[in-house]
Structures are given as C-alpha cells and as structure tokens.
C-alpha cells in the first residue's frame, strides 16, 4: 500500500520538545477546528476555511488543557485542564461562561451526552462526575476504576456510559441507576504513567458497537448490551493502538498507533484500505462531519487535515449517516437553539426516557433495557432542585430571551440537519490580529494603518503610499486594543470589539488637519459592539452588533442612527456614498451566503442602490469597496471579482477570475481596482493575508472576464471587446450625469472618442479572426457594432481582399443603411457667414463619383445614396490632424458626443469663409495614405492566429489620430481650407478616375 505524506502545521508550542497529549475536534458544520495541548494553557479555535489565518485564542486555564468536548448543537465548548477545573465557553465566539466544576487531580477526558444536558468528566482521581449542564450540579459520581480514567463516551441512545482507564479496564455504566453493567479487565493496553498517549474508546454512530484498543496491536469490537466480543481489526500496526475514531456514517474507522501510523479501516470488509506514516505519534483524530477528510494532531502539537481519505470509488464517509431521534436533543438549556419547553433542572430519568427513539427497531439478538418510561408529572418537577433565577416556562418563546448564543432555530425534525455558517463581519483591508506580530488595521490604495502589541498596549502607525500627497502622521499609542480601521485623505477612524471589565466597544476618529485643537473624538458603546467602520468626505459611519448604522460628522456630531434589517458583514465609503453588506437570510445548506448590499448617499439622504450581492457557490465575501472611479466592487473567496453596473436594470459583471490566471501556490489579497487593473498583494499559499514586514509589494493584474472557450480562438480579443464596451458605458453614464448638472464634458468627450476608436480597432481584429475561421455571420454582427464610418469601410476592404464577395455585399448594405439614416438627419449642411445662412446641396456629379468609386472597389452602392460626399466634405474641412469622420449612424454613433450638437453654431465649417484657399491634405499625401491602408488590408487578408499582431496598429496611428478634443476650434494661425475648393477637388478626382 502506498504511503502518502501529509504536512502538519503548529497548533501549540511544545514544552521543550517533550511529548504531550493534544486534542482536536470539528464543529458539526465543519466551520471550525478546535485544538488544545496538555502543555499549553490556551485553546485555539481555527477557521477551517482559513487555516493559515491566526486562530482565536482562549486563555482561561492556569495549566495545560488536556480535554475538550463540544455540545451536540455546537453552542457550548467544555475544557478540562491539568489545573483540575472544567470550564464552559460560548461557541464559536469563545466567550467564557463559567467554571462548572473542579477536581482534586488533573482532568483527562470530557464527553457530552447526546442531548447535551449532561457532561461527563474524569481524570486522575479515578472517579467520573456526571455534571448537570443546566445548573452545574453534580448529578452522580461513578466509582469503580483503579487507575486514571483516560476516556469516557456516552452511547448514541443515552442508555450507557463507557469508560476505560490507564490499566486497560473497560466499564459499562447504566446511566439511570449508575450501576456497573460490565467490567472488562485488561482488555486494553496498560499505558502506565505516560499521559501523552491515552487509551480511548468510542461508540459506533448507530450505537451498536463499542470499539476499544486491543492488547495485540488491534481494535476489538464489543456488543452494545452484552459486552461480548464481536470481532477485531488487525492489520499493519506493529505497536499498540492509542486512538480511534469512527466516520460519521460508521462505515470506516481511523486508528493511530504507537508506531506513528494512521490506518483507515473498512468495517464491512474488516480490512485496512489506506494508511499514513507520520514523524510523531498521532494522539487525536476527528472526521470532518461534512466531507471526506480527517483532522489529526500529534504529540508535538502539530495538526493537519488528511483530504480525500476515502477513494471516490467507495461510499463517502458522510453518506447515509444514521439518524437517531432523541427527545431534548437540542443541547444545553442556556444554549438552546430549538423552541422546546425545558425542564428546570436535569433528572437522570430523562436519559432513560430519551432511549425510546422510534427510529431504532428492537434487536432480535438481545433484549433492550428499558429502565424508565412515562410522562413527567408535576410531582417530578417539584422534586427537582430548581436553580436560583430559573423559571418553568410553558411559553417556548421565553427560552429564547435567556439563551446566550443568538442563533436561528433549527427545524424540529428527527432528520440530521447541519446548519451552514453565516459569515462573520470583517473590515476590508484588515488582517487578523496576532499576538506580538504587526498587523494591518487598514490597507487601501491611499495608504496603510498597522498595529503591534508592545508592553500591554498597541503601537499604531499610519503610512501613505505617496508621501508627497498624504500628510505626515505621528505614531500613536493604542490603549483600547483597536482591531479595525478605515483611512481616507481627511482622517482615520478606529474601533475595537467589547473588552475590559465593562465590556465597552470604542469608536475613535482622528482628523489629519483641523483648524481647532483637540479635534480628535471618541464614542463608547455599552453592550453594543462595533462590527465595521467606513469614512467619507465629511462623515464617519459605524455598524454595530445591534444592527444599528450610526453616522457621525467629522466633528463628532451624532447625525443619524438607522436600523438595518440584517447582521452586517462589511462596509465601505467613497465620497458621499456609503455601501453596506448585510445578511439577507440564513445561509443555505450548501454553504451559500445570502447577502444583500445597499448604497446610501449621506449628503442627499437617499438610497440609490439596493439588491442581492452575488457570490460564487460555496464562497464567502473577502473584500468589498469602491474602485478609483467610484464603482461598487466585491471579491469572494473563489477569486471572482464583480463590479456593479447600471446595464440590464442594475447587474453585477464578473470582471476577473483568479482561477484563470493564478498559480496553485498563490493567493490574491485584494486592495482595490481601477477601470482596467486589479490591485492586489500576492500571498504564497497557504497564507491568505500579507505580512507587514517586509513591506508587501502591490501587484497590478489585468482584468480578465471568465469567458467560455470560444471556437474562434481569440479569447484575448473577445475579453478586450467586452472590457472596452463596459468602459464606454461607464463614460457615457458620467457624461449623462455631467450634462444633467450642466457641466463641461470636454475631457470626457475626448476620452469617449479615444475609447470608441480603440473599440473599433478591436472589433476589426475580431472581424479578421471570424473571416479566417469562416464565421461570417459573427463577422456581420461585429461590423454592425462599429461606430466610425471609416471602420466600416475598412471592414469592407478587408473582406474584399479575403475574396468574400457575399460578405462584402452584406457589409456594403450595412454601410448604405447607415449613410441613408444620416442623410435623413442631415439633408443639408448649414454654412454660416456674417451676412446670411446658406445651405449646400449635394452635387449629382459628386454622387456619381462616389458610386463609381464604390464600384471600382468591388462594392455596390445604391443610386439614391449620395451621403458619402458628407464624409469627404468633413475630411476636407476638418483640420489635417483630424481626418476621421464622425460616426454616421444613429444606432452606432456614440451618444457620448452630444457636445457636437452644442458646438454646431461654432463649428469649423460655420467659421470658414467661402473663397479661402484650400490647405487640406495634398494629393500625394492622400494617395500615400490610401496605399498604406490597402497594404494593411492585404496583410489582414492573410490567415492569422488568434494571438497575431494587430494589423490595424499602423493604420490607427496614421488615420485615427485625434487631437485632445476633436471638436475644438483650430488655432488662429492655422490655414483653413475652402469648402468650395473641396467640392471642386472632389469633382476633379472623380473625373480623373473616370
């Protein structure tokens, strides 16, 4: 059998290289991994999706943590320590709840009952305590072992408790009576005083089998009721088995041995199917509840995840998981998730009552023990000891007012249901806090804010990428423990979670410049925690755990308080706009997050945008903000960048997919973006966050739309085509907004014209690719998207050179239709002088000349089409730097050039006087230009690959060169051409051709 290698990472610091017993477990949703070590007094809660991220650290014990247990509903974490105490925490927040009990000697093992109402704890003092988790009372102490108790386990039906000690003795306990049912001496290895490895036993998920490490380097299976030996598993272990773990469906068993091996067993075939060799002994293992993986941790406190542990040809370890119906199976009362009517305190008789699950058929082999049945009566309740402050509630809704973990209700069903995790709030540009390590509180395109803990306080520094633009900000000492921040050109805002004796959350704003002294201000929140912050032009925003959106002025005035309709995920600001992401509903069982975004204009007190935020399936949001131009953007954990657009009534466009470009060992940490570049920091896998030192390098990536693999083979051109189209629509929107505000749009007109010309060049290259691939219908569709008349004529020349007469005829029809539409709009050209306005009508000779020229080029022109003259006239009267005609079609003319109508009265044509000498393009220059264009068309007619060079590069440089503003007046010292001379010149050229 092939031995695989698995890389482990450090979970806890080992004690000078001395082995220690470590624990590892999953929560039911596979969202978190919890680890501990008997040599470390801390507990680590790792995000299973971000193992490289620093874990959440719980430090409440005074000595090493030797045991962990998680309640069935995953709302309560229990820990047992060498310091002889058992503590309870909220999960997954890690908030300390209570010291539930103490022992006289170190604790070695913990286990929750399947209802979560009882916790079993045991250790070196040889007794097993059954602790009532509702009020913390000791329900019973089980005594019978003669050595240290190393493992306890409740059977899934809550009838029995099994335990094993360091001398190898296994005892079956009946929970109702506390009696010893079976005492199996010497069936497990005697581990002596080595507490880095302990005998561990485990029930199968259906409760039928108890598995125990054997004395022959094997695993022995015992019957549930009779404790008879059923069979044993013996394979490649050459030393004793020290830990074992059942898969969720009970089809497989993982065992680790003193020989540093982990074996995977097929229970049905009773043989091992895979194994893994490690550098150290594996002291604890846990199967992933929702996948095909096994988490392991060794005696040197290193852990890892063994992925794809079961071959795909075999049944998944999470398929056909046994379903056990138990009353009160929702966990602790104080941490209850379901609306049930709880009892005031725990009664051992409840355990027996729970054993009558309807889903479990009676066994023909043996008779089940039914210790107790019947309904609880009022007398039973009166006999219970009610803890102070506890109330008997007939109304289930009252229970939810007292629960400590605010979670959504689980369905009342006997089916096994795993709830997906709702993403927690995060601050864009912040990295997780890590002790004694400098971290980012904020990193954006303007600068960064870093913090590091020093002598109990934190030291914060603010740096700008461009030191010549940003102010110099002095470092400051942080006495509040800020974990998030936001930065813009006006100032910075900081916030921290609830901390200290009063559990206060603090919000602080520091302006960079102010005319007044002491312009810095702070706010405190009692029982309310800041989850995200954002900055704008003259406002500061904070979203809290109460779903309150609090908006302040830069001076600290509390301006608005809004109530959001869901828990916040993140927030970002840009000028007057604040964008917020909240949960719209609980996440789906497929782990899909249901998020909603909204954009609020603070100055206008309006909400221009609101809708659902799309994410890749199974992903979560990792970055959210605005581009440099103010467009709303998001980036998810699957590497998809999406940008909001007004197209199609408001949609999100995926403009980048990391899976298309990144290497396997790279992860992208997004910082921001502009119209054509994504700014990010590349982190080497498995790191998901950059380190502050050395200073991270900002990488610019080209936007790349996740396109399908086209049969054209021109993916780069198609990507450019869509990106330029999107950019053009953005410019159009900005121009529309400026026109509505009666602002000058000259700069945007220039940008729009250049973008339109570049888009035409891209389309022409796509047309050439379509012709070479014999995709003529697609080529026709592309030509209809051209904006400039010259571009359409270039396409006609191209297809003519490629000897595609049918396509050339269709393209010529497109050109005729466009010119005809232009003729309808401009039936005459107004020419103004100082005395009167005249109209120049088309000359029939010019019309005949144009038709003859079209026929010479291999195209057919309608006898009614006289408007090509307009293009010639435009070229003749336009300054020599501007040779391209304006767009000629109402459909293809970009509405970005509305300035043309405004400038009509002051156009160059209207300013020229009749009779001026023509100084336009000379005949020699024109002929040379035509020869150059014909050469380019001939080069395009040759077959090209999808990645060939742009055949229109030279043409675009020579023919499509535009001034900064194509509509600007010519300079006073520039010679001007006469319109009459232009007409005469055209007649002469036409006669010469004839």
């Amino acid at each position: 059998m092939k031995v695989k290698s698995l890389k482990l990472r450090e979970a806890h610091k080992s004690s000078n290289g001395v082995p220690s017993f470590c624990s590892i477990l999953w929560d039911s949703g596979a969202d978190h991994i919890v680890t501990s070590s008997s040599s470390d007094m801390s507990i680590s809660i790792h995000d299973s999706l971000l193992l490289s991220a620093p874990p959440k650290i719980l430090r409440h014990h005074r000595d090493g943590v030797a045991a962990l247990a998680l309640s069935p509903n995953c709302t309560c974490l229990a820990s047992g320590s060498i310091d002889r105490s058992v503590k309870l925490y909220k999960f997954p927040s890690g908030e300390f709840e209570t010291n539930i009990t103490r022992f006289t000697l170190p604790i070695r093992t913990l286990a929750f009952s399947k209802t979560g109402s009882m916790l079993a704890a045991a250790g070196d003092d040889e007794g097993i305590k059954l602790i009532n988790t509702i009020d913390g009372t000791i329900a019973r102490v089980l005594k019978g072992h003669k050595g240290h108790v190393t493992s306890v386990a409740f059977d899934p039906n809550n009838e029995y408790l099994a335990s094993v000690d360091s001398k190898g003795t296994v005892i079956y306990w009946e929970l109702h009576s506390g009696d010893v049912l079976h005492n199996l001496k010497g069936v497990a290895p005697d581990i002596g005083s080595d507490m880095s490895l302990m005998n561990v036993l485990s029930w199968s998920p259906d409760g039928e089998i108890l598995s125990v490490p054997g004395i022959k380097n094997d695993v022995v299976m015992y019957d549930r009721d009779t404790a008879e030996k059923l069979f044993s598993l013996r394979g490649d272990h050459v030393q004793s088995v020290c830990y074992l773990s059942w898969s969720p469906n009970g089809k497989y068993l993982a065992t680790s041995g003193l020989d540093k091996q982990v074996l995977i067993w097929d229970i049905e075939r009773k043989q091992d199917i895979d194994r893994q060799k490690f550098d150290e002994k594996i002291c604890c293992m846990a199967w992933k509840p929702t996948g095909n993986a096994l988490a392991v941790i060794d005696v040197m406190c290193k852990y890892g995840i063994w992925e794809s542990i079961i071959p795909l040809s075999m049944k998944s370890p999470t398929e056909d998981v046994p379903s056990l119906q138990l009353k009160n199976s929702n966990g602790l009362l104080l941490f209850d998730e379901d609306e049930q009517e709880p009892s005031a305190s725990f009664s051992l008789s409840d355990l027996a009552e729970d054993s009558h699950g309807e889903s479990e058929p009676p066994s023909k082999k043996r008779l089940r023990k039914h210790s107790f049945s019947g309904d609880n009566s009022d007398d039973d309740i009166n006999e219970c000891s009610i803890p102070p402050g506890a109330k008997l509630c007939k109304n289930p809704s009252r229970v939810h007012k007292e629960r400590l973990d605010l979670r959504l209700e689980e369905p009342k069903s006997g089916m096994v249901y795993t709830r997906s995790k709702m993403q927690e709030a995060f601050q864009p540009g912040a990295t997780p806090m890590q002790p004694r390590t400098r971290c980012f509180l904020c990193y954006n395109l303007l600068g960064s804010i870093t913090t590091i803990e020093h002598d109990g306080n934190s030291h914060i520094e603010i740096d700008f990428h461009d030191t010549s633009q940003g102010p110099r900000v002095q470092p400051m000492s942080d006495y509040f423990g800020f974990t998030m921040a936001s930065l813009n050109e006006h100032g910075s805002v900081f916030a921290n979670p609830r901390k200290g004796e009063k559990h206060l959350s603090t919000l602080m704003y520091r302006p960079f410049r102010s005319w007044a002294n002491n312009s810095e201000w702070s706010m405190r929140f009692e029982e309310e925690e800041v989850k995200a912050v954002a900055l704008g032009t003259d406002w500061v925003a904070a979203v809290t755990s109460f779903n309150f959106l609090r908006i302040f002025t830069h001076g600290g005035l509390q301006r608005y308080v809004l109530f959001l309709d869901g828990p916040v995920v993140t927030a970002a600001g840009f000028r007057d706009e604040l964008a917020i992401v909240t949960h719209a509903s609980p996440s789906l069982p497929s782990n899909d997050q249901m998020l909603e975004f909204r954009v609020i204009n603070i100055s206008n007190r309006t909400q221009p945008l609101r809708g659902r935020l799309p994410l890749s399936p199974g992903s979560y949001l990792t970055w959210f903000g605005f581009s440099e131009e103010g467009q709303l953007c998001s980036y998810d954990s699957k590497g998809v960048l999406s940008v909001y657009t007004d197209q199609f009534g408001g949609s999100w466009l995926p403009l980048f997919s990391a899976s298309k470009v990144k290497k396997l060992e790279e992860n992208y940490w997004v910082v921001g973006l502009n119209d054509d570049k994504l700014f990010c920091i590349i982190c080497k896998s498995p790191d998901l966050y950059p380190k502050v030192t050395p200073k991270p390098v900002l990488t610019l990536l080209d936007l790349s739309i996740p396109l399908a693999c086209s049969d054209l083979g021109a993916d780069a051109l198609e990507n450019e085509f869509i990106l330029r189209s999107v950019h053009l629509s953005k410019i159009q929107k900005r121009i529309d907004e400026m026109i509505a505000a009666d602002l000058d749009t000259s700069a945007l007109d220039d940008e729009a014209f250049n973008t339109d010309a570049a888009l035409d060049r891209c389309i022409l290259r796509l047309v050439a690719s379509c012709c070479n691939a014999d995709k003529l219908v697609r080529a026709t569709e592309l030509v209809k998207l051209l904006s400039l008349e010259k571009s359409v004529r270039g396409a006609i020349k191209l297809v003519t050179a490629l000897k595609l007469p049918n396509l050339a005829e269709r393209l010529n029809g497109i050109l005729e239709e466009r010119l005809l539409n232009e003729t309808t709009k401009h039936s005459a050209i107004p020419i103004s002088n100082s005395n009167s306005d005249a109209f120049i009508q088309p000359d029939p000779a010019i019309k005949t000349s144009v038709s003859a020229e079209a026929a010479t080029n291999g195209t057919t022109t309608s006898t009614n089409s006289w408007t090509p003259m307009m293009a010639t006239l435009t070229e003749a009267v336009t300054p020599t730097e501007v040779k391209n005609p304006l767009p000629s079609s109402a459909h293809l003319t970009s509405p970005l050039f509305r300035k043309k109508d405004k400038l009509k009265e002051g156009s160059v044509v209207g300013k020229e006087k009749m009779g001026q000498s023509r100084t336009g393009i000379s005949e020699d220059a024109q002929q040379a230009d035509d020869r150059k264009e014909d050469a380019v068309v001939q080069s395009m007619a040759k077959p090209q690959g999808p990645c060939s060079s742009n055949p229109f590069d030279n043409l675009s440089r020579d023919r499509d060169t535009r001034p900064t503003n194509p509509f600007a007046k010519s300079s006073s010292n520039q010679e001007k051409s006469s319109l009459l001379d232009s007409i005469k010149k055209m007649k002469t050229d036409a006669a010469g051709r004839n």
Side-chain angles (χ1 to χ4, degrees):
M1 187 176 298
K2 185 179 178 180
V3 179
K4 306 175 184 177
S5 62
L6 178 63
K7 185 177 180 180
L8 303 182
R9 65 181 73 210
E10 186 179 79
H12 301 271
K13 296 289 184 182
S14 61
S15 179
N16 299 322
V18 178
S20 59
F21 183 80
C22 302
S23 302
I24 190 169
L25 53 84
W26 294 87
D27 65 357
S28 60
D31 299 315
H32 299 90
I33 297 176
V34 189
T35 60
S36 68
S37 169
S38 60
S39 63
D40 187 358
M41 64 182 67
S42 66
I43 301 170
S44 298
I45 302 178
H46 308 263
D47 190 327
S48 62
L49 299 177
L50 302 171
L51 291 181
S52 61
K56 184 180 299 183
I57 305 297
L58 311 182
R59 291 188 178 92
H60 295 278
H61 285 288
R62 293 176 296 176
D63 208 335
V65 180
L68 292 176
L70 196 58
S71 64
N73 62 0
C74 294
T75 62
C76 178
L77 176 68
S79 64
S81 171
I82 307 298
D83 65 9
R84 305 181 299 278
S85 67
V86 177
K87 301 181 185 293
L88 296 183
Y89 312 83
K90 291 182 184 179
F91 190 84
S93 66
E95 181 180 345
F96 175 72
E97 192 58 36
T98 184
N99 288 308
I100 196 167
T101 191
R102 291 188 64 84
F103 280 65
T104 57
L105 291 175
I107 298 167
R108 302 295 177 183
T109 180
L110 295 173
F112 275 101
S113 66
K114 298 308 173 182
T115 63
S117 56
M118 177 183 289
L119 176 68
D124 292 355
D125 63 359
E126 303 177 0
I128 302 173
K129 288 185 180 181
L130 300 182
I131 306 167
N132 181 355
T133 55
I134 297 175
D135 57 7
T137 58
I138 305 299
R140 181 173 279 113
V141 178
L142 306 178
K143 293 186 177 182
H145 284 286
K146 302 301 181 182
H148 309 317
V149 180
T150 59
S151 178
V152 294
F154 288 94
D155 91 276
N157 296 295
N158 270 352
E159 292 185 22
Y160 309 130
L161 176 75
S163 60
V164 61
D165 60 28
S166 59
K167 296 184 180 296
T169 299
V170 175
I171 299 180
Y172 279 49
W173 308 86
E174 186 182 42
L175 287 177
H176 172 61
S177 62
D179 296 336
V180 175
L181 297 179
H182 306 285
N183 192 333
L184 309 178
K185 295 182 179 181
V187 298
D190 187 340
I191 63 174
S193 59
D194 183 7
M195 289 293 102
S196 65
L197 295 164
M198 295 188 287
N199 285 330
V200 176
L201 46 73
S202 179
W203 292 95
S204 62
D206 60 3
E208 297 295 325
I209 298 174
L210 177 67
S211 56
V212 180
I215 58 177
K216 298 180 181 180
N217 306 334
D218 58 352
V219 179
V220 182
M221 304 296 180
Y222 294 94
D223 181 79
R224 162 191 169 83
D225 292 321
T226 64
E228 296 175 356
K229 180 178 177 180
L230 300 178
F231 59 91
S232 63
L233 302 176
R234 191 168 185 177
D236 291 339
H237 280 303
V238 295
Q239 290 181 272
S240 298
V241 173
C242 57
Y243 199 92
L244 47 86
S245 178
W246 288 87
S247 67
N249 61 1
K251 304 292 183 184
Y252 311 101
L253 182 73
T255 61
S256 65
L258 301 180
D259 54 5
K260 303 179 183 179
Q261 288 190 106
V262 173
L263 269 60
I264 308 300
W265 300 84
D266 185 330
I267 299 300
E268 184 177 350
R269 293 190 292 175
K270 298 180 178 59
Q271 66 181 21
D272 56 314
I273 58 176
D274 204 351
R275 68 186 176 99
Q276 178 84 266
K277 184 73 175 179
F278 292 89
D279 296 332
E280 297 291 343
K281 302 170 209 174
I282 299 299
C283 55
C284 190
M285 301 177 294
W287 288 81
K288 188 175 183 180
T290 59
N292 185 12
L294 180 74
V296 300
I297 190 168
D298 64 19
V299 294
M300 302 309 293
C301 310
K302 293 183 178 181
Y303 80 107
I305 299 178
W306 183 357
E307 299 282 357
S308 303
I309 189 169
I310 302 300
L312 296 178
S313 58
M314 303 180 67
K315 181 174 291 188
S316 168
T318 57
E319 184 179 352
D320 297 334
V321 176
S323 176
L324 299 174
Q325 290 182 339
L326 297 174
K327 299 179 182 179
N328 302 327
S329 59
N330 300 293
L332 303 174
L333 174 65
L334 295 179
F335 299 80
D336 192 14
E337 291 186 332
D338 203 349
E339 290 190 355
Q340 285 198 4
E341 178 180 332
S343 60
S345 65
F346 173 78
S347 172
L348 285 176
S349 62
D350 293 339
L351 295 173
E353 182 180 0
D354 292 343
S355 65
H356 297 279
E358 295 179 1
S359 64
E360 185 175 355
S363 173
K364 295 181 180 180
K365 177 181 177 181
R366 54 195 176 270
L367 180 65
R368 300 287 185 199
K369 295 189 177 183
H370 299 279
S371 304
F372 178 84
S373 65
D375 299 330
N376 291 332
S377 63
D378 293 339
D379 295 335
D380 295 330
I381 295 177
N382 293 333
E383 292 175 0
C384 296
S385 59
I386 301 177
K391 297 181 179 180
L392 297 178
C393 302
K394 294 299 182 180
N395 185 357
S397 63
R398 296 185 186 177
V399 178
H400 291 266
K401 296 180 182 179
E402 298 179 1
R403 64 185 179 176
L404 300 177
D405 189 3
L406 299 177
R407 285 171 165 249
L408 298 175
E409 300 172 15
E410 289 184 322
K412 295 182 180 180
S413 170
M415 299 177 60
V416 174
Y417 173 77
T418 301
R419 181 179 347 174
S420 303
K421 176 187 177 184
M422 293 173 62
Q423 181 177 356
E424 297 181 357
F426 72 95
Q427 183 70 27
T431 58
M433 302 299 295
Q434 196 168 359
R436 297 177 297 278
T437 303
R438 187 174 292 276
C439 305
F440 285 114
L441 296 181
C442 175
Y443 193 107
N444 57 25
L445 294 179
L446 180 64
S448 65
I449 302 177
T450 60
T451 181
I452 185 172
E453 185 180 352
H454 181 69
D455 293 337
N457 296 321
S458 297
H459 183 73
I460 291 180
E461 294 181 359
I462 300 178
D463 297 307
F464 292 90
H465 303 315
D466 187 353
T467 55
S468 63
Q469 302 248 344
R472 183 175 180 83
V473 182
Q474 294 296 327
M476 74 173 193
S477 295
D478 171 21
Y479 301 100
F480 300 98
F482 294 125
T483 59
M484 67 191 80
S486 184
L487 171 71
N488 67 5
E489 60 274 14
H490 303 293
S492 56
V493 62
F494 304 86
N496 67 343
R498 288 187 298 170
K499 61 184 306 182
E501 296 180 357
K502 297 183 179 180
H503 295 283
L504 296 178
S505 183
T506 304
L507 177 74
M508 186 177 76
Y509 175 72
R510 293 187 68 193
F512 295 143
R513 303 179 183 90
S514 177
W515 59 269
N517 295 327
N518 195 24
S519 55
E520 175 184 308
W521 54 265
S522 63
M523 300 285 172
R524 299 290 185 90
F525 303 95
E526 294 184 4
E527 300 182 358
E528 188 177 2
E529 187 174 65
V530 177
K531 293 294 187 179
V533 294
L535 278 178
T537 303
D538 54 4
W539 52 266
V540 178
V543 190
T544 70
S545 56
F546 285 1
N547 298 344
F548 289 165
L549 169 60
R550 298 182 178 273
I551 300 175
F552 308 84
T553 64
H554 278 181
L557 176 65
Q558 302 191 51
R559 196 73 174 89
Y560 308 106
V561 180
L562 306 180
F563 205 166
L564 303 178
D565 53 5
V568 67
V569 177
T570 191
F574 180 80
R575 297 177 184 170
D576 288 337
E577 292 187 336
L578 168 64
I580 306 169
V581 179
T582 58
H583 286 283
S585 66
S587 53
L588 301 179
S590 59
N591 287 328
D592 291 337
Q593 302 291 324
M594 306 300 292
L595 305 182
E596 182 181 61
F597 77 96
R598 69 184 70 194
V599 177
I600 299 173
N601 190 297
I602 304 298
S603 60
N604 297 336
R605 291 179 292 181
T606 58
Q607 183 175 280
L609 297 176
R610 180 171 181 174
R612 288 295 179 90
L613 180 65
L615 296 175
S616 302
S619 69
Y620 54 92
L621 188 64
T622 59
W623 181 84
F624 184 77
F626 291 89
S627 68
E628 285 188 332
E629 296 76 22
Q631 273 204 296
L632 199 60
C633 315
S634 70
Y635 187 81
D636 63 34
S637 59
K638 294 292 182 66
V640 176
L641 173 75
S642 55
V643 177
Y644 184 82
T645 175
D646 289 333
Q647 298 179 9
F648 303 101
S651 302
W652 288 82
L653 301 181
L655 295 187
F656 180 82
S657 178
S659 61
K660 300 286 185 180
V661 296
K662 80 170 185 177
K663 301 177 182 178
L664 291 177
E665 67 275 8
E666 293 180 347
N667 292 313
Y668 296 152
W669 193 69
V670 174
V671 176
L673 73 154
N674 59 16
D675 278 336
D676 56 356
K677 297 289 183 181
L678 174 66
F679 298 85
C680 67
I681 297 173
I682 298 179
C683 304
K684 295 298 182 182
S685 184
D687 293 335
L688 297 178
Y689 301 96
K691 297 178 181 177
V692 178
T693 53
K695 188 175 182 179
V697 178
L698 202 59
T699 303
L700 277 67
L701 301 176
D702 292 327
L703 297 182
S704 175
I705 296 176
L707 297 174
C709 295
S710 172
D711 55 358
L712 195 61
D715 294 344
L717 287 177
E718 291 180 306
N719 183 73
E720 180 186 353
F721 165 67
I722 298 180
L723 287 178
R724 291 194 182 277
S725 301
V726 172
H727 182 48
L728 198 59
S729 67
K730 297 178 189 175
I731 302 175
Q732 173 63 56
K733 179 184 177 183
R734 295 206 296 268
I735 289 181
D736 291 341
E737 292 173 350
M738 295 181 68
I739 291 177
D742 199 20
L743 300 175
D744 182 27
T745 62
S746 300
L748 286 180
D749 285 342
D750 298 338
E751 183 181 357
F753 187 89
N754 294 332
T755 303
D756 222 347
L759 179 60
D760 273 13
R761 291 194 293 270
C762 177
I763 293 175
L764 286 173
R765 294 197 297 270
L766 278 172
V767 170
S769 299
C770 290
C771 292
N772 290 326
D774 198 25
K775 305 296 181 183
L776 304 186
V777 175
R778 198 176 307 174
T780 306
E781 296 170 342
L782 286 166
V783 170
K784 292 180 181 179
L785 299 176
L786 292 169
S787 296
L788 303 177
E789 179 185 321
K790 175 172 285 188
S791 301
V792 181
R793 293 186 182 278
I796 294 175
K797 286 187 177 182
L798 169 66
V799 299
T800 302
L802 290 171
K803 298 181 181 180
L804 298 171
N806 292 335
L807 180 58
E809 183 177 355
R810 285 185 175 275
L811 300 189
N812 187 70
I814 294 173
L815 178 61
E816 290 179 8
E817 181 182 358
R818 178 177 303 183
L819 297 177
L820 184 60
N821 292 335
E822 189 70 18
T823 302
T824 305
K825 295 174 59 178
H826 304 281
S827 59
I829 303 176
I831 301 181
S832 304
N833 54 35
S834 58
N835 298 323
S836 62
D837 294 336
F839 290 85
I840 301 298
Q841 299 293 341
D843 192 313
I846 298 178
K847 169 183 172 183
T848 306
S849 172
V850 173
S851 300
E853 181 181 357
T856 303
N857 291 334
T859 60
T860 58
T861 307
S862 172
T863 57
N864 295 327
S865 177
W866 54 269
T867 52
M869 175 206 67
M870 298 184 61
T872 309
L873 291 178
T874 304
E875 185 172 352
V877 301
T878 306
T880 56
E881 294 88 345
V882 186
K883 295 165 53 180
N884 278 342
L886 294 178
S888 305
S889 171
H891 297 286
L892 297 178
T893 298
S894 173
L896 303 173
F897 307 121
R898 297 183 182 180
K899 189 178 178 184
K900 180 178 69 173
D901 298 333
K902 296 182 179 181
L903 300 178
K904 191 174 293 184
E905 294 181 359
S907 63
V908 177
V909 176
K911 295 297 182 182
E912 292 181 339
K913 295 182 179 180
M914 302 295 291
Q916 277 187 313
S917 61
R918 182 178 185 271
T919 59
I921 305 174
S922 66
E923 293 183 18
D924 294 339
Q926 180 66 39
Q927 292 175 0
D929 204 17
D930 290 340
R931 286 196 298 271
K932 186 179 296 184
E933 181 176 348
D934 292 338
V936 172
V937 171
Q938 292 296 331
S939 67
M940 290 190 62
K942 299 177 181 180
Q944 306 176 46
C947 299
S948 60
S949 61
N950 178 10
F952 278 90
D953 283 345
N954 295 330
L955 178 62
S956 62
R957 285 194 293 269
D958 296 336
R959 300 294 305 269
D960 288 331
T961 303
R962 300 278 174 162
T964 304
N965 184 358
F967 302 99
K969 297 181 182 179
S970 58
S971 60
S972 59
N973 60 354
Q974 183 181 9
E975 296 183 1
K976 301 179 181 179
S977 60
S978 168
L979 179 62
L980 192 58
D981 287 345
S982 301
I983 298 175
K984 291 179 180 180
K985 174 62 179 172
M986 292 172 56
K987 291 181 179 180
T988 303
D989 292 343
R993 292 189 183 94
N994 293 332

